[in-house]
Amino acid sequence: MASQDNPPVMVSKIGIIGAGVSGLAVAKQLSNYNPVVFEATDSIGGVWRHCSYRCTKLQSQTWNYEFSDFPWPKRESSDYPTYAEILEYLHTYAVHFDLFKYVKFNSKVVEIKFIGDKEGFDFGRLHRDSGNPLSGRPMWEFSVQSNESDTIQLYHFEFVVICTGKYGDIPLMPTFPRNKGPEVFNGKVLHSIDYCKLDKEATSDLVKGKKVVVVGYKKSAIDLALECAQANQGPEGQPCTIIIRSLHWTLPHYQMWGVPFFLFYATRSAQFLHQTPNQGLLKSLLCLLLSPMRRGISKFIESYLLWKQPMEKYGLKPDHPFEEDFASCQIAITPESFFHEADKGKIIFKRASKWWFSNDGVEFDDNTKTEADVVILATGYDGKKKLQAILPEPFSSLLEYPSGMMSLYRGTVHPLIPNMAFVGYVESVSNLYTSEIRSMWLSGLLANKFKLPTADKMLSQTIKDMETMKNSTRFYKRNCITTFGINHNDEICEDLGWNTWRKKSLIKEAFTPYTAFDYKKED
């Protein structure tokens, strides 16, 4: 990689990496600091732009996925907009708040260096000078490479925000025994991220008339299998086989026996049934006494899903309760025609704990095999590896300390990494307003509306958050706050000096869902 001998250094207060949903939210909330937003591609939108298929839709309704000060334009239906509609919404948001002026497109941050005063630095505080994160002295150096040049431009920032997210860029690849990997397969193997980069004609050429195997059973895999099935209609079309290692509950929509889904999990009264961090003895006792009700709700939803979808017919009924999938952010919405294609024989399900490649397809641990021309790996992304690739030591190693997970106080700052925030790494019922309210919290922090606790206290709180997640599901692998998201937002409101109860009446407070508009920023 070429670089200049003495490249000029650009200095600014705030640097942001990523112009997806989270990056835009942060840029808007910190716009008074004239932030610099680095986007490695030529467009905003993040995962919606670069990791979506033609049939990809939002997994929730528009009222649950919008910015607090920018409602969706009128649509014929509030249900599940397409990825193209979401990109249009994000573009309109960026234009409305004049955010494009902050974004440097085709600018990839290839290296980050800590340039703060290391001697005597208190890693439990943002800075030794009275804890003010914007003290007037640069703390981080970015090395940025433009797609238009092989030279490196240096930038110095007092505070940086990482918004690269958990998806895209680095695929999570399965491992195989010796001589049983993709190298022995005579067909084509690609990850879903590579499939997303293909245009309509290329994807059609790839799967039409081909024996396609899709690996995975989350949203990406389900959408891929449907797209392959739709491309192979008619007697000449080949069925698509979807390989499933772990079963999870899927939803056809958000109505269970006519009852809105939010009443079960997304209201303050519903979340009262679940454990929360920092709960006292009385709350713990109530959770124990009310646990039969919580399990009953899960069974109620399961009964509807088994009635509405042919899960038992195809051997897709999970052995674990629905509430565990919800608590681990594992729920996927099945497209309307997904099981219809299965009924037509265009989608075939194959359960397998282990599988590997052969010359003409894939083989399984039950001594069966499936012929294939194309294998698409919808096996997820390694967002942590993406972060560790650019963060310097010792900060890179701290990402998993002390819990083995990315420990973020208020879902935003790592207690041991100074003058840096991470937005977009906590999942909830609505990831958009989850990121937006953390951007508001970050704005309050930088404006000195509140001070951070000591590192020990912040670490203690993150451990409590992690323990609550771990106790709610066997699939604990990431920061998912679906069962205590309102409690989590209450803590953010308290930091900002806002009222924690945001509704106009006790009835609404107890039984209506919280949305972004309930957390509209207070001046």
Side-chain angles (χ1 to χ4, degrees):
M1 182 182 298
S3 61
Q4 298 173 341
D5 293 335
N6 293 294
V9 177
M10 308 296 289
V11 180
S12 186
K13 284 186 175 295
I14 307 291
I16 302 169
I17 306 180
V21 170
S22 298
L24 293 176
V26 174
K28 194 267 181 181
Q29 297 300 328
L30 303 184
S31 59
N32 56 312
Y33 298 104
N34 292 313
V36 181
V37 183
F38 299 99
E39 170 54 46
T41 70
D42 61 358
S43 58
I44 64 171
V47 65
W48 288 113
R49 170 68 70 182
H50 306 292
C51 299
S52 296
Y53 319 126
R54 291 193 305 277
C55 66
T56 299
K57 292 185 177 182
L58 183 65
Q59 294 232 86
S60 60
Q61 296 174 309
T62 52
W63 60 264
N64 203 31
Y65 196 87
E66 59 188 348
F67 293 103
S68 61
D69 52 3
F70 195 75
W72 273 82
K74 289 185 178 180
R75 300 170 67 248
E76 292 184 2
S77 170
S78 64
D79 289 342
Y80 321 121
T82 66
Y83 81 94
E85 289 177 299
I86 296 167
L87 287 174
E88 177 63 24
Y89 172 70
L90 295 176
H91 178 85
T92 307
Y93 174 81
V95 170
H96 180 79
F97 291 107
D98 199 17
L99 302 181
F100 281 107
K101 67 182 180 183
Y102 305 121
V103 183
K104 290 185 175 296
F105 292 107
N106 298 310
S107 299
K108 183 176 182 179
V109 179
V110 295
E111 186 180 23
I112 299 176
K113 291 182 179 180
F114 180 67
I115 56 174
D117 182 8
K118 296 180 181 180
E119 285 191 20
F121 193 88
D122 179 3
F123 284 86
R125 293 286 183 180
L126 285 174
H127 197 277
R128 65 184 181 183
D129 292 344
S130 70
N132 183 357
L134 299 178
S135 61
R137 284 178 286 185
M139 302 293 287
W140 295 96
E141 178 182 272
F142 284 4
S143 296
V144 181
Q145 184 177 26
S146 170
N147 291 356
E148 301 172 355
S149 173
D150 60 355
T151 60
I152 298 296
Q153 175 66 61
L154 301 181
Y155 292 81
H156 285 181
F157 298 104
E158 296 177 42
F159 196 96
V160 300
V161 190
I162 311 297
C163 302
T164 53
K166 304 176 293 298
Y167 307 107
D169 290 356
I170 301 180
L172 188 62
M173 303 293 287
T175 57
F176 302 95
R178 183 180 175 84
N179 297 323
K180 292 185 177 181
E183 69 278 359
V184 305
F185 179 50
N186 293 327
K188 185 175 181 61
V189 181
L190 69 162
H191 191 271
S192 57
I193 190 174
D194 300 310
Y195 182 92
C196 293
K197 297 174 182 177
L198 303 176
D199 59 27
K200 183 177 181 179
E201 182 179 354
T203 56
S204 179
D205 291 342
L206 178 69
V207 302
K208 189 174 183 179
K210 308 288 180 57
K211 299 173 183 176
V212 179
V213 169
V214 175
V215 182
Y217 193 56
K218 295 181 182 177
K219 181 59 176 172
S220 293
I222 290 172
D223 284 349
L224 265 173
L226 177 61
E227 208 163 280
C228 292
Q230 291 174 337
N232 280 281
Q233 298 297 302
E236 301 299 323
Q238 297 289 338
C240 172
T241 300
I242 182 167
I243 299 177
I244 306 169
R245 185 179 67 176
S246 300
L247 288 174
H248 294 285
W249 293 94
T250 60
L251 296 175
H253 47 67
Y254 286 109
Q255 291 279 337
M256 306 297 142
W257 298 113
V259 182
F261 183 81
F262 66 76
L263 287 178
F264 301 116
Y265 292 105
T267 65
R268 189 175 290 277
S269 58
Q271 294 206 343
F272 192 74
L273 301 175
H274 300 269
Q275 292 186 12
T276 57
N278 305 314
Q279 66 183 20
L281 180 61
L282 179 59
K283 175 66 187 303
S284 299
L285 180 60
L286 283 173
C287 282
L288 180 62
L289 293 175
L290 295 174
S291 58
M293 181 183 294
R294 189 177 67 246
R295 290 192 294 268
I297 290 172
S298 184
K299 288 292 184 182
F300 177 82
I301 295 174
E302 291 164 28
S303 69
Y304 178 82
L305 299 181
L306 294 174
W307 172 76
K308 187 68 175 179
Q309 303 176 123
M311 303 177 77
E312 291 179 302
K313 173 183 176 180
Y314 293 110
L316 300 178
K317 178 186 175 183
D319 295 326
H320 57 270
F322 172 85
E323 64 177 336
E324 290 197 44
D325 274 344
F326 184 77
S328 58
C329 295
Q330 298 279 0
I331 299 298
I333 299 291
T334 50
E336 186 176 355
S337 57
F338 180 73
F339 282 110
H340 179 64
E341 294 298 332
D343 291 338
K344 289 161 53 179
K346 293 301 182 181
I347 296 177
I348 298 173
F349 304 98
K350 175 63 181 180
R351 292 286 312 281
S353 57
K354 294 182 181 180
W355 66 277
W356 51 88
F357 285 95
S358 62
N359 291 337
D360 57 354
V362 294
E363 298 180 352
F364 307 98
D365 53 359
D366 62 358
N367 296 320
T368 61
K369 65 182 300 182
T370 294
E371 293 184 356
D373 302 308
V374 179
V375 176
I376 305 177
L377 304 172
T379 48
Y381 306 92
D382 197 338
K384 191 184 302 179
K385 187 174 182 179
K386 180 166 57 173
L387 281 176
Q388 292 174 330
I390 59 173
L391 279 183
E393 292 293 350
F395 308 109
S396 178
S397 299
L398 291 173
L399 290 179
E400 296 182 331
Y401 176 84
S403 63
M405 290 275 293
M406 192 171 175
S407 302
L408 297 177
Y409 178 73
R410 298 293 190 253
T412 309
V413 298
H414 193 290
L416 302 177
I417 303 181
N419 286 53
M420 179 176 287
F422 303 83
V423 178
Y425 294 87
V426 174
E427 296 184 60
S428 71
V429 175
S430 174
N431 291 333
L432 186 149
Y433 88 72
T434 298
S435 290
E436 187 187 31
I437 193 171
R438 277 151 189 77
S439 301
M440 295 176 184
W441 181 87
L442 187 57
S443 175
L445 174 66
L446 297 182
N448 281 311
K449 291 185 178 179
F450 60 90
K451 301 292 184 183
L452 290 177
T454 64
D456 286 343
K457 289 183 178 179
M458 287 192 287
L459 285 171
S460 175
Q461 181 60 53
T462 61
I463 291 174
K464 290 178 182 177
D465 292 346
M466 298 293 181
E467 286 299 317
T468 301
M469 298 177 207
K470 187 183 297 183
N471 292 336
S472 64
T473 175
R474 73 193 70 183
F475 303 111
Y476 165 73
K477 291 181 180 179
R478 50 189 174 181
N479 292 304
C480 178
I481 60 170
T482 52
T483 59
F484 62 96
I486 294 176
N487 172 268
H488 206 278
N489 290 342
D490 285 349
E491 295 172 335
I492 288 178
C493 290
E494 289 176 354
D495 288 345
L496 292 170
W498 299 356
N499 292 326
T500 55
W501 285 29
R502 315 289 296 171
K503 305 288 187 178
K504 294 181 179 179
S505 70
L506 289 177
I507 297 296
K508 290 183 177 180
E509 187 66 51
F511 300 111
T512 60
Y514 264 87
T515 67
F517 288 109
D518 293 307
Y519 297 106
K520 192 170 183 179
K521 192 171 184 179
E522 298 181 5
D523 295 329

